[in-house]
Every structure is written in structure tokens, then in C-alpha cells.
Amino acid sequence: MSTAYNRNMFMGKDNFMKTVYTCFCTDVIHEGHLNILRRAKELGSVVVGILSDQAMIRFNRFPTVSFEERMRIVEEIELVDRVVVQDSVMYDSIIEELRPDYVIHGDNWKEGPMKAIRDNVEGLLSAYGGQVVDVPYTDNETVRHIDNQIREKLSMPEYRRKRLKQIISIRGLAKAIEVHNGLTGLIAEKTIVANKDQLDQFDAMWISSLCDSVAKGKPDIELVDMTSRFRTVNDVMEVTTKPIIFDGDTGGLAEHFVYNVRSLERMGVSAVIIEDKIGLKKNSLFGTEVEQTQDDIKHFCAKLKAGKKAQLTDDFMIIARVESLILEKGKEDALKRARAYVEAGADGIMIHSRKKTPDEILSFCDAFRKTDTHTPIVVVPTSFDSITEEELASHGVNVVIYANQLTRSAFPAMEQTAKDILKNHRAKEADERLMPIKDIISLIDEL
Ligand code: SPV
Ligand code: MG
């Protein structure tokens, strides 16, 4: 905990002022924050907690200014008596430490996922007679404009591109979900849930070759061309701010791959993953049931090297996907290849398996981590779906991709609705389980 300074903690000679605590997780101080601080000042001595990067990334927007800068801008506000660090979204340790008489917040935390935080605070304060103070949320044009500006900044290529590396380095583990259009992008961007004692959201988005192809009614065999795939990326980027991992299939010819690296980098994509297969690529989940050919190490390394040479920024990642387990070539082959790909310049290794249990993936990760402690490992737990992110992280995994679950959940729901309408010759029966139009529209932001 760091205490920046301490103003006016005493009211008079013997009277301690009441302590009023609020937590800020913002890059910009606007009228809404000042309203909270003014009300706080009426109640006592004002202590402001600045949410750490770690905690902010977990449930809020990615900070666009450094933690030190966020501390500084609050320290400079006259109404503030003391600035401290809050390390977690939930208030347990900060309340234990400060035992404030009041915790004050905008009343927007009475609803939605933030309600879990309010409940947490209320429970903690009630144990010793503290009180929650809700200040009416300031919703005006200036505040909305500032909010839009921060979001726009986060969506710009130079801010978005580097964010995957930042998340991996700050949090150790990033979780990505598949998106294939603006709407699925919005789901990835906005879904936040309250889980026991934390809030959670996705860190990144995966532009899957499988789901991008399926959305177009096409097979996953590199048939949907790069122009079309990039249009999907653009559609997603227009309405989101989170970092993007692009499924680059085999990467194609090295001579073509270098152009695609430049394009992806220019757009603000954070990473491309290319798999070590050659010829007619089929989806990995078919494994050895279909004919698939693994590239030879030297040839694939040359493609990785060419990509790294073409890359212009330090932010972008080229991740090599090892298909040895999919093609039943064994762990030793996978390890040999992974090490060679890292040597050739790969910024990360994706290891894939279609086994029902995670054993072979975990065994690979443990062996790889014995000789390489830092190269990020990416996994796609589609078939070994019972393993948790925490367990994967404990074996050295840094990126978990939920590669097709949104598509697989949408398809049966849409098919059922089509069947119900056909059966009943009207929409009423289907309508009862559908999302109201108003709710779906409210997902979409207006500028
Ligand atoms: C994709 O989502 O397109 C992938 C992952 O490449 S998998 O389908 O599991 O091969
Ligand atoms: Mg794919």
C-alpha cells in the first residue's frame, strides 16, 4: 500500500474525522468523479483507492495511462486527503485495512455485474456499522463524450496491437473467445459476469478460420480468402476494443505470408497463429480421419523467419502452432518442433490436441517449460473441455482460446427457431424464448 499524502485527517484537537473511501478505476477525472468527491468531503476525510493494473484489466477497460499517472491525477485533486492502492476489485483487504465509516460510489453499481461489488462492500461494512453511500450517476453529454474518447483510443491500432503482450505480462494468462462478426465481437467485448468473489470478462478475441468459414457456409480448408477474412477482422474492430488473435491457417506460401503479416499488423491485430501443415489444410479436429500433411521443420521455420523479418513493430506476435499431437506423431516430435520454431523466431507456441482428456497437452507443457520458461504457450481446450484456466495456467499456459463455442451455441438455437416457425405457422411459440428486440439493440452503441 502506498500513501501519497495525508491532508486534514483531524477535525479538531481530539476529534477524528470520519473516513470516507472511494475507489477509482478511470484514466480521466470528470464531473462524475468530482461529484462523488464533493459529497465525500461533506462526510469526512476522503481516501481514494486507485485500482491496480492487474485488477483493472480483469473487469474494467484496459488502462490507457500508467498506474503512476492515475495516482498522480487523483493526488492533485484538492478534495482528496489520501491516495492508496486497491489491489482487487473486491474490497475485502482495503476495508480491513482502512475500516472506513463510509464507502461512496456512483449509484450505477446498484445494477448489473457491479452489483456484486456493492454487495461485497455492504456486507463488509455492516460487520462494524459502516455505511454505503450511493451518489446519483452523472450521465451527461460531456461524460459520455469522455467515455467514447477512451473507447476510441483503445480501439486504435497502436493501442490495441500491443495489448495482448501487455495482458500476458501483467496477468500471466489471457482468455480469448471466438468471434466472427460485429455482433459476436460485441458479446466478447461486453460480457462481464460476477463469479463468487470476482468479476470476469474475456481478454481477447479469436478470429477462427473454422467459424469464419462456417459463418459463410464454407468448409474450413483455406477456401475463404484473406480479403474476406480481413473484412471479418475489420467488422469486429469497428465495434470493439479488445486485442485480436488471427487464425492464419498454414500461413500459405511464405511469399504471401509476409504481406499478410504487414496487413494484420497495420490493422492492429495482436497476433497471428500459423500451423505447421502443408497442402490442402483440413480442420485439426478431424485429426487423422482425413489426410493432412505436416510441414517439415526447416520449411516451416523459413516461413516463420520470413514473417518475423517482415514485421515492423515489437508489439505483434507470430505464434507457431504445432500439430504433432493432432497427427499422432507424439510428444517428442511436438517438443522438437516447438523448440525449433522458437529458435526460428516464433513469439509463442500453440499446442493442439483432440483428446478428451488434457493429459497429453499438460505433459507437453510441463516438458516444454523445463527448458523454456518464458515463451508463451497457447491452448485450445475444445475436446478436453473439463480443464479450468487455473489448472492450465499452473502448467505454464498463457493463452486459452475458446475457439468455436459461440458458433456452436448459436447454430442449434437458430435451427430450433426455424423449425418452430415452420411447425406452428407463426412465430409466437418461438418468440417466448427469444431475446426482446429492445435488449439486442441495447447491445449496440450509438455514437
Ligand atoms: C479454428 O478455430 O479454426 C482452429 C482451432 O483452428 S480448431 O478448430 O480446433 O482446429
Ligand atoms: Mg483454424
Side-chain angles (χ1 to χ4, degrees):
M1 157 131 353
S2 104
T3 303
Y5 57 84
N6 238 302
R7 285 186 203 128
N8 314 324
M9 291 300 278
F10 296 94
M11 233 176 151
K13 214 164 110 236
D14 302 314
N15 291 338
F16 265 109
M17 281 180 88
K18 301 262 190 198
T19 303
V20 191
Y21 181 71
T22 189
C23 177
F24 283 177
C25 48
T26 181
D27 298 347
V28 178
I29 299 296
H30 57 54
E31 215 182 309
H33 303 107
L34 294 176
N35 277 342
I36 292 174
L37 293 177
R38 275 188 218 107
R39 176 74 187 110
K41 197 71 189 172
E42 288 167 10
L43 296 167
S45 171
V46 181
V47 183
V48 178
I50 306 297
L51 199 61
S52 67
D53 284 347
Q54 257 257 11
M56 193 156 160
I57 287 166
R58 177 137 189 192
F59 99 104
N60 203 278
R61 268 201 292 248
F62 200 94
T64 59
V65 295
S66 69
F67 176 76
E68 290 70 27
E69 181 64 9
R70 299 204 304 280
M71 287 284 277
R72 199 188 57 74
I73 53 179
V74 175
E75 282 166 8
E76 281 174 359
I77 304 170
E78 266 299 304
L79 295 159
V80 177
D81 294 298
R82 190 176 160 205
V83 182
V84 297
V85 182
Q86 184 171 325
D87 275 326
S88 162
V89 173
M90 294 303 173
Y91 284 51
D92 302 65
S93 50
I94 201 84
I95 285 185
E96 192 186 330
E97 192 165 339
L98 299 174
R99 288 181 71 84
D101 300 283
Y102 302 103
V103 170
I104 188 164
H105 197 282
D107 63 2
N108 56 325
W109 73 344
K110 284 176 148 179
E111 282 171 8
M114 279 205 295
K115 185 175 177 304
I117 306 178
R118 191 184 184 283
D119 291 346
N120 161 264
V121 172
E122 204 168 37
L124 295 163
L125 293 182
S126 70
Y128 62 88
Q131 231 179 294
V132 173
V133 179
D134 303 302
V135 178
Y137 183 72
T138 311
D139 182 20
N140 62 29
E141 210 163 295
T142 320
V143 168
R144 276 199 298 274
H145 180 68
I146 291 172
D147 203 54
N148 278 338
Q149 269 182 326
I150 299 176
R151 205 177 54 215
E152 283 305 310
K153 191 170 165 187
L154 283 170
S155 73
M156 291 295 162
E158 63 275 27
Y159 283 97
R160 195 195 295 248
R161 196 194 297 118
K162 62 184 171 199
R163 213 166 315 131
L164 182 66
K165 275 195 173 174
Q166 289 176 315
I167 292 170
I168 294 173
S169 102
I170 296 170
R171 288 222 32 230
L173 182 83
K175 42 190 188 292
I177 187 148
E178 174 269 319
V179 303
H180 53 270
N181 55 21
L183 189 62
T184 44
L186 284 175
I187 290 173
E189 180 80 11
K190 296 189 174 194
T191 308
I192 300 182
V193 295
N195 257 336
K196 274 196 304 199
D197 57 349
Q198 275 296 345
L199 292 187
D200 251 309
Q201 63 173 334
F202 288 102
D203 302 297
M205 297 175 285
W206 165 244
I207 308 277
S208 150
S209 68
L210 171 69
C211 300
D212 201 5
S213 305
V214 164
K216 294 170 173 61
K218 300 262 171 71
D220 181 20
I221 53 171
E222 297 189 277
L223 174 65
V224 178
D225 66 18
M226 278 297 159
T227 311
S228 171
R229 302 279 321 277
F230 289 176
R231 197 172 313 133
T232 303
V233 172
N234 192 53
D235 288 346
V236 170
M237 280 186 159
E238 277 195 282
V239 295
T240 62
T241 64
K242 291 185 178 177
I244 290 179
I245 306 169
F246 183 80
D247 178 357
D249 286 320
T250 64
L253 296 173
E255 291 83 348
H256 295 174
F257 180 55
V258 290
Y259 283 92
N260 293 331
V261 165
R262 284 270 167 90
S263 301
L264 290 165
E265 213 184 355
R266 190 182 327 108
M267 285 192 277
V269 167
S270 302
V272 62
I273 301 187
I274 56 169
E275 58 196 272
D276 57 357
K277 291 204 295 241
I278 197 160
L280 180 61
K281 188 221 81 154
K282 305 266 176 67
N283 184 273
S284 298
L285 300 174
F286 286 122
T288 49
E289 291 158 29
V290 294
E291 207 181 307
Q292 310 211 52
T293 314
Q294 201 167 18
D295 201 353
D296 77 64
I297 295 181
K298 211 166 138 212
H299 187 256
F300 192 67
C301 284
K303 200 185 295 187
L304 292 168
K305 277 185 191 152
K308 287 308 290 175
K309 202 165 149 216
Q311 179 181 331
L312 291 178
T313 67
D314 283 339
D315 308 335
F316 190 71
M317 299 172 83
I318 298 181
I319 298 172
R321 166 170 166 174
V322 179
E323 290 283 287
S324 305
L325 304 180
I326 290 286
L327 300 172
E328 292 174 16
K329 304 262 181 71
K331 182 174 86 176
E332 287 314 313
D333 185 73
L335 284 168
K336 184 170 83 183
R337 284 172 173 273
R339 288 177 189 134
Y341 301 160
V342 171
E343 189 64 34
D347 301 291
I349 292 295
M350 173 179 154
I351 182 73
H352 205 12
S353 158
R354 62 182 194 126
K355 292 267 158 64
K356 283 265 170 234
T357 64
D359 305 358
E360 65 174 9
I361 285 281
L362 299 183
S363 162
F364 170 91
C365 292
D366 294 343
F368 182 73
R369 279 282 172 258
K370 278 203 182 119
T371 55
D372 185 329
T373 53
H374 62 278
T375 303
I377 301 179
V378 182
V379 299
V380 177
T382 301
S383 48
F384 46 101
D385 59 3
S386 59
I387 190 151
T388 63
E389 292 148 12
E390 206 178 0
E391 283 174 274
L392 287 166
S394 73
H395 289 268
V397 170
N398 305 96
V399 181
V400 176
I401 299 178
Y402 297 97
N404 48 42
Q405 286 79 2
L406 287 189
T407 294
R408 285 163 57 213
S409 55
F411 189 88
M414 290 194 285
E415 194 182 41
Q416 188 58 50
T417 298
K419 282 181 181 167
D420 285 350
I421 293 174
L422 279 177
K423 242 189 258 166
N424 298 294
H425 303 285
R426 63 178 190 180
K428 186 180 181 325
E429 287 72 15
D431 243 342
E432 276 155 17
R433 15 158 249 279
L434 303 187
M435 188 179 209
I437 295 285
K438 235 167 88 195
D439 291 5
I440 203 147
I441 288 173
S442 71
L443 247 185
I444 294 159
D445 296 311
E446 281 179 36
L447 285 183

